[in-house]
Each structure stands twice: as structure tokens, then as C-alpha cells.
Amino acid sequence: MTVSLFDQFMSPTLLGLPLIALAMTLPWVMYPAPTARWLNSRFLALQGWFINRFTQQLLLPLSLGGHKWAALLTSLMIFLITMNMLGLLPYTFTPTTQLSLNLGLATPLWLATVIIGMRNQPTHALGHLLPEGTPGPLIPVLIVIETISLFIRPLALGVRLTANLTAGHLLIQLISTAAFALLSSMPAVALLTSTVLVLLTLLEIAVAMIQAYVFVLLLTLYLQENV
């Protein structure tokens, strides 16, 4: 039976039921709950420090009105980072390689920012569709272009996250397959390929964290435009 490279991105099923819901729920179970003690463990203290630092970075471009979204944005970033990192483990499924999931996360949050802008400051929100000082003949064309760019934002968020993770997983699979195939015939080349595989894995760990951060950071920028 021929196995496709893209079979690893198929949602696993058990008794005909997709297990993507389990893959999305499992990361939350891995985080330890805060204790009632005066002093937490080193792991809890490190986890709290990372969350505080990430939250500070996320709130930098936001005004005070957007700080209400701090808990939602921080939770979303931790959720994405955890799923992306767990997906790098062998024989695991990465839900964030599914475009449907990423669009399901991006579209409602983007739509919420647009609705907030239309409700709080409709003139300013609609003003983004037409830059100041535009010549008269170009006004209809620019309005159409800006409207398309506005509605394409959630698609860009979802495709960016999906494409980066999918490309990384495919590269890891191709290089690991080549290293295994060359092990018997050319051990030196297989060792060099394995070294490249280790470096690529480290790069993918960084990509998994950066893409989750970029996803949430762009949402904060969209929110700042409408707050």
C-alpha cells in the first residue's frame, strides 16, 4: 500500500469518531493547576513568569480599551503554542495543520474586532476603507481593494499558520526518511542527514512558538484598529 506524505495530516478516528476534539482537549490537562500554598513549585513559578512576559508583549500595541481581551488572547496563544509543540512529537496529530480549525479560530475573533469598531467608532472604522487624499477617480477602486483586503484577513491568518506548520512537518518527514534509507548504504551521509534533521527540528520548535505568537499579535493589531 502506498502511503502519501500528507496522510500524517488526516484527522485520526476511533470507531468512526474523529479524535481531533481529544487532541485539542489534551493540552489543557497537561498544565498544572495553581495551588493554595504561599510558595508554588519551580515549574509553576516558571510557567507564571512566561505567561506574564507573553501577556506584556501582547498588550504593548493595545490601548487600555483592548486590555479586556488579555485573558482571551493569552489563553489562545498558550493553546496554539502547546498544540504546535506537541505536534512535533513522533506519532502525534497536530490539529493546527487543519485549515478548518485555524479558520474557525481566526474568523470569529476577526469578526468580533470588526463589530467592535463598527459599534464604537463607525466613522473611523469605515475611514480605513478610503485613505485620506485619494484622487476622485480612484475612490471606487480603492474602496473595493480595501474591502477585499479587510475580508481576506482571517483567511491570511489561517493559511499562514497552516502552511508554516505543514511545510515543517513535511520537511521533517522527508529528511528522516532519507536518513533511514541511507543508513545501510552510506552511513556518513546518513549521519550528516541526521544532523540536519536535528537542526531542522530545533528550527521547527522555534517556528511553532513564533507562528502562535504572530497569529495572536496580528489579532491584537486588528483589535487596536477598532478600539
Side-chain angles (χ1 to χ4, degrees), residues 8 89 99 109 139 154:
Q8 60 178 315
L89 297 175
L99 183 60
L109 293 173
I139 289 179

Side-chain angles (χ1 to χ4, degrees), residues 33-208:
T35 63
R37 300 177 181 177
W38 287 5
L39 293 177
N40 291 323
S41 64
R42 290 186 178 91
F43 184 74
L44 277 176
L46 184 63
Q47 173 185 316
W49 181 82
F50 271 115
I51 291 176
N52 288 334
R53 294 295 299 174
F54 275 127
T55 306
Q56 290 176 7
Q57 292 296 322
L58 285 177
L59 297 182
L60 281 179
L62 282 178
S63 59
L64 291 178
H67 287 189
K68 303 173 185 177
W69 289 56
L72 175 62
L73 295 175
T74 305
S75 301
L76 177 62
M77 187 180 63
I78 295 173
F79 179 61
L80 292 176
I81 287 177
T82 307
M83 287 197 299
N84 294 348
M85 299 282 284
L86 289 177
L88 294 174
L89 297 175
Y91 303 104
T92 56
F93 172 68
T94 313
T96 45
T97 56
Q98 305 294 311
L99 183 60
S100 57
L101 172 65
N102 296 332
L103 288 179
L105 293 174
T107 304
L109 293 173
W110 163 82
L111 187 60
T113 62
V114 174
I115 292 175
I116 287 175
M118 293 294 184
R119 185 190 66 179
N120 294 342
Q121 41 186 6
T123 304
H124 181 72
L126 294 175
H128 289 295
L129 301 179
L130 185 63
E132 186 177 357
T134 304
L138 294 180
I139 289 179
V141 179
L142 280 180
I143 290 179
V144 172
I145 293 175
E146 291 297 328
T147 303
I148 294 175
S149 66
L150 176 65
F151 282 96
I152 210 172
R153 284 179 174 181
L155 181 62
L157 283 176
V159 170
R160 181 187 294 107
L161 182 58
T162 303
N164 281 281
L165 296 180
T166 303
H169 283 65
L170 287 175
L171 280 176
I172 288 176
Q173 181 174 359
L174 288 172
I175 294 178
S176 60
T177 304
F180 183 76
L182 294 172
L183 187 58
S184 57
S185 57
M186 291 181 286
V189 179
L191 180 61
L192 179 61
T193 308
S194 301
T195 305
V196 174
L197 178 61
V198 172
L199 296 177
L200 179 61
T201 304
L202 296 177
L203 176 64
E204 285 305 312
I205 292 174
V207 168

Side-chain angles (χ1 to χ4, degrees), residues 6-23:
F6 293 92
D7 285 345
Q8 60 178 315
F9 303 114
M10 295 176 61
S11 178
T13 58
L14 179 63
L15 300 177
L17 299 175
L19 298 181
I20 186 172
L22 179 61

